[in-house]
Amino acid sequence: MGRTVFYTATTLDGYLADEHDSLDWLFKQDVDPEGPLGYEPFIRGAGAMAMGATTYDWVLDRNERTGDAWAYEIPCWIFTHRDLAPVTDDVIITTDPVPDVHGRMVEAAGGANGKDLWVVGGGDLAAQFAEHGLLDEVVVSIAPVTLGAGRPLFPRRFDLALLEHARNGDFLCARYAVRGPLAAGSLDT
Ligand SMILES: NC(=O)c1ccc[n+]([C@@H]2O[C@H](COP(=O)([O-])OP(=O)(O)OC[C@H]3O[C@@H](n4cnc5c(N)ncnc54)[C@H](OP(=O)(O)O)[C@@H]3O)[C@@H](O)[C@H]2O)c1
């Protein structure tokens, strides 16, 4: 079975988007999508993905403005409590528990020897996977920007271990293993 990875860009102060869900701060940055920890090698290795309702809305709004089509060629689960419409046959709207959906994602990605699973975000959804022990890695591309407020990167307490780091254009990129909930007492040291 592949890794389950929260792969995302973030600001230096830990936001995925500003309070109005804008990513303007992100798209002005220089990046090589084929470069270190870049998007292209990552998406080639992914066999299924999941995102929350706000992120889905954001993608659909952007596509409407730009005229772009849904860009993903792998099954994508959308977590929501609302009655959202799937934009393609590969989009699955779900209210099911995270572990059940994770099992279906693993199957869709090829099972025991399958591809990676991409948790797109937001941060709370990624943390829900981690709380169920179902998130292996967090890969962040840190933009040289601070916002002061916005949608948080990972709003729970977890221990991570740095596995890899690199520069890609304007970004500092880092790959972490999720070790588990932040150990009691580790805040006092
Ligand atoms: N920087 C980046 O690369 C990057 C990456 C990802 C996202 N983003 C942006 O960051 C923002 C993230 O927004 P967000 O923090 O609101 O997170 P989100 O995960 O996109 O959306 C949160 C919503 O998802 C639904 N949800 C989450 N967990 C659920 C569960 N277990 N079961 C059912 N529904 C569940 C709920 O929606 P309902 O209750 O309304 O149904 C919840 O309000 C968006 O603007 C997105 O575009 C940026």
Side-chain angles (χ1 to χ4, degrees):
M1 172 171 109
R3 305 162 302 162
T4 302
V5 183
F6 178 31
Y7 179 94
T8 188
T10 178
T11 67
L12 178 61
D13 56 344
Y15 296 106
L16 297 179
D18 76 9
E19 314 93 308
H20 310 293
D21 293 306
S22 171
L23 296 180
D24 289 351
W25 55 272
L26 176 60
F27 293 118
K28 67 178 194 168
Q29 310 296 338
D30 178 51
V31 68
D32 174 3
E34 289 285 354
L37 292 171
Y39 175 77
E40 292 299 341
F42 175 75
I43 195 70
R44 283 196 292 272
M49 57 195 282
M51 64 177 73
T54 313
T55 303
Y56 182 61
D57 280 344
W58 183 92
V59 173
L60 296 189
D61 283 354
R62 183 164 193 266
N63 286 353
E64 201 171 302
R65 277 185 280 112
T66 60
D68 288 347
W70 181 253
Y72 309 107
E73 295 171 352
I74 55 179
C76 180
W77 276 262
I78 312 296
F79 284 88
T80 186
H81 303 96
R82 290 180 276 147
D83 189 19
L84 298 177
V87 70
T88 74
D89 288 348
D90 271 348
V91 168
I92 305 111
I93 309 291
T94 189
T95 54
D96 290 343
V98 165
D100 294 0
V101 174
H102 183 266
R104 280 175 231 145
M105 291 172 71
V106 170
E107 213 172 296
N113 299 311
K115 297 178 102 174
D116 291 342
L117 309 186
W118 179 21
V119 181
V120 182
D124 188 77
L125 180 63
Q128 293 176 48
F129 277 76
E131 284 182 338
H132 288 286
L134 295 172
L135 190 70
D136 299 306
E137 293 186 7
V138 176
V139 179
V140 285
S141 295
I142 304 168
V145 173
T146 59
L147 291 175
R151 308 293 180 211
L153 170 63
F154 203 75
R156 311 286 171 92
R157 293 182 172 190
F158 270 84
D159 266 322
L160 309 175
L162 182 63
L163 298 176
E164 184 181 354
H165 66 285
R167 178 176 188 158
N168 185 329
D170 291 330
F171 293 89
L172 173 63
C173 305
R175 188 164 73 87
Y176 296 89
V178 177
R179 297 173 71 177
L182 188 66
S186 55
L187 293 178
D188 303 328
T189 56

